[in-house]
Amino acid sequence: MKNIQSNIKKAKNYLDKSHCVAVPTETVYGLAGNAYSDTAVKKIFNLKRRPANNPLIVHYYNLKKISEDCEINDNFIKLYKKFSPGPITYILKLKKNSKISKFVTNNKKTVAIRFPKHPLFRKLLKNLKYPVAAPSANISSRLSAVKAADVKDEFGNKIKFILNGGVCKIGVESTILNITNKPRLLRYGGLSVSKIKKTLNQKIIININSKDKISPGLFPLHYSPGLPLRMNAKKNKKNEAFVLLKKRENISKDIYYLSKTRNLNEAARNLYSVLRKIKKDKYKSIAVEKIPNEGIGKTINDRLKRASNFK
Ligand code: AMP
Ligand code: MG
């Protein structure tokens, strides 16, 4: 407990001075900085080598502070009550007098906001006087980090501090929903679209490949282990790693599995770690068996599809 307090204090001290620190969330690790500080936000973009036109998600402790920064509406309240804190990001209209750095939104009139659930990150947010901009803690277009060691792999000693909160429970990024108008899904994620639909009782427009570049995180190549990857494979070729949904008895050395029992939530949680391990084991290509396209399986398939654009 004492350790937790002192780590949170350390993270707060760095953030107060506009430095970046890595933070655990229930989805993936984030690379955090003061969302009101241009200096901090620019550091995030530099460290990640992220294109300036790819806006960041801003993280809040609760509802209290957001009304200073963005316009809330009925759909937001319905979803917030049901799913926040949790793996859903809302796109809302930015208020003119908001203090959010213009680098966060790339001068857009909208902002992405989320209320993360991880208890350590929540404790930290509660202690801060500003919200925190935090994209995933990985170099742009690569795999997200789901434990402190992954963050270290990505950035080495370039970041000041990692608030270690263990392994992320969900393991894939948040679901992004634009609710400035009719609800539009911009990214599949940790919360299934069917649950959102049920709560809003409205049609959700699926807009995940929008060509208007409103959400550049949706660029075709993303979430890549840096190796060619093919989906829906029946078997693997020589020297190709083979990823299965469910563990088999006689496992050969080339076989990796995402879950013990065909559980899609477990598979999502293990996805990035398995792909990282394959890369570390020096394979040159990856085959993945067919993953059912239901619930969080849709998110897994979305990530695999984007990773498969690596040539
Ligand atoms: P990451 O933080 O790495 O999970 O990526 C954040 C995602 O949120 C990216 O896909 C961004 O393009 C998206 N995003 C952030 N702000 C906005 C916004 N105002 N409108 C649309 N998408 C956004
Ligand atoms: Mg990311």
Side-chain angles (χ1 to χ4, degrees):
M1 194 62 202
K2 213 172 142 209
N3 215 359
I4 290 178
Q5 293 302 352
S6 78
N7 283 340
I8 287 182
K9 207 168 158 195
K10 233 184 204 169
K12 176 180 170 356
N13 286 340
Y14 282 123
L15 290 170
D16 284 348
K17 293 190 182 106
S18 287
H19 290 304
C20 299
V21 299
V23 292
T25 89
E26 76 281 22
T27 59
V28 298
Y29 271 73
L31 183 61
N34 176 351
Y36 291 162
S37 155
D38 289 350
T39 312
V41 174
K42 280 196 233 167
K43 278 183 191 164
I44 296 176
F45 278 94
N46 282 338
L47 279 166
K48 269 187 70 85
R49 291 183 240 146
R50 179 160 169 132
N53 66 351
N54 190 359
L56 308 179
I57 297 174
V58 183
H59 296 72
Y60 290 83
Y61 179 67
N62 63 19
L63 272 184
K64 272 191 197 141
K65 282 278 175 186
I66 70 159
S67 55
E68 292 173 15
D69 292 324
C70 46
E71 312 226 346
I72 52 183
N73 56 38
D74 290 350
N75 275 348
F76 170 74
I77 297 293
K78 274 189 208 159
L79 294 168
Y80 177 87
K81 280 190 183 154
K82 186 101 183 169
F83 301 118
S84 292
I88 175 167
T89 294
Y90 311 97
I91 309 292
L92 291 171
K93 283 190 184 140
L94 193 63
K95 278 200 173 154
K96 279 218 174 73
N97 54 353
S98 150
K99 283 190 277 190
I100 293 177
S101 160
K102 60 184 185 307
F103 296 100
V104 165
T105 57
N106 186 34
N107 284 314
K108 279 175 178 298
K109 293 195 168 66
T110 56
V111 62
I113 67 162
R114 184 163 103 80
F115 306 86
K117 196 170 186 176
H118 194 292
L120 270 191
F121 192 13
R122 281 183 61 74
K123 272 204 174 84
L124 174 62
L125 283 170
K126 200 175 174 186
N127 277 290
L128 301 175
K129 292 204 164 67
Y130 43 82
V132 155
S136 52
N138 55 283
I139 306 293
S140 237
S141 90
R142 298 215 301 228
L143 294 172
S144 298
V146 294
K147 53 183 186 303
D150 298 344
V151 181
K152 196 95 188 152
D153 268 2
E154 290 290 308
F155 297 103
N157 293 325
K158 285 192 181 146
I159 45 178
K160 299 268 179 195
F161 184 63
I162 301 173
L163 185 61
N164 191 339
V167 179
C168 301
K169 283 202 173 131
I170 293 177
V172 288
E173 299 75 4
S174 60
T175 301
I176 304 183
L177 195 70
N178 185 334
I179 44 171
T180 53
N181 211 312
K182 286 183 185 156
R184 280 172 192 273
L185 179 82
L186 299 187
R187 174 170 81 184
Y188 283 110
L191 179 67
S192 77
V193 181
S194 56
K195 285 189 184 160
I196 296 174
K197 197 173 162 192
K198 217 166 139 192
T199 301
L200 292 183
N201 201 14
Q202 276 174 66
K203 188 173 178 256
I204 312 285
I205 302 161
I206 308 290
N207 208 191
I208 58 164
N209 291 315
S210 75
K211 291 206 177 64
D212 56 8
K213 305 232 168 35
I214 185 172
S215 203
L218 308 172
F219 284 159
L221 173 65
H222 213 99
Y223 312 110
S224 168
L227 298 176
L229 179 150
R230 62 191 179 96
M231 297 169 69
N232 304 324
K234 296 232 160 61
K235 55 184 184 183
N236 59 329
K237 297 176 189 159
K238 204 170 167 228
N239 299 326
E240 189 178 42
F242 194 21
V243 180
L244 302 176
L245 177 57
K246 179 179 180 285
K247 188 173 180 176
R248 274 187 205 157
E249 274 319 314
N250 55 348
I251 285 206
S252 91
K253 80 170 192 10
D254 297 335
I255 290 187
Y256 296 76
Y257 60 92
L258 295 174
S259 78
K260 289 200 180 100
T261 59
R262 277 188 84 76
N263 178 306
L264 287 172
N265 289 320
E266 188 189 350
R269 185 158 57 241
N270 290 326
L271 178 67
Y272 293 142
S273 298
V274 165
L275 297 178
R276 259 178 210 275
K277 175 87 171 72
I278 291 170
K279 171 104 177 175
K280 279 197 174 148
D281 289 346
K282 305 261 186 268
Y283 282 89
K284 295 277 178 277
S285 63
I286 306 173
V288 186
E289 79 167 345
K290 191 174 169 92
I291 308 289
N293 206 36
E294 64 205 39
I296 205 165
K298 284 193 179 167
T299 306
I300 299 174
N301 281 325
D302 173 82
R303 303 304 188 262
L304 291 172
K305 181 134 200 311
R306 291 175 204 277
S308 74
N309 289 321
F310 181 89
K311 296 285 177 262

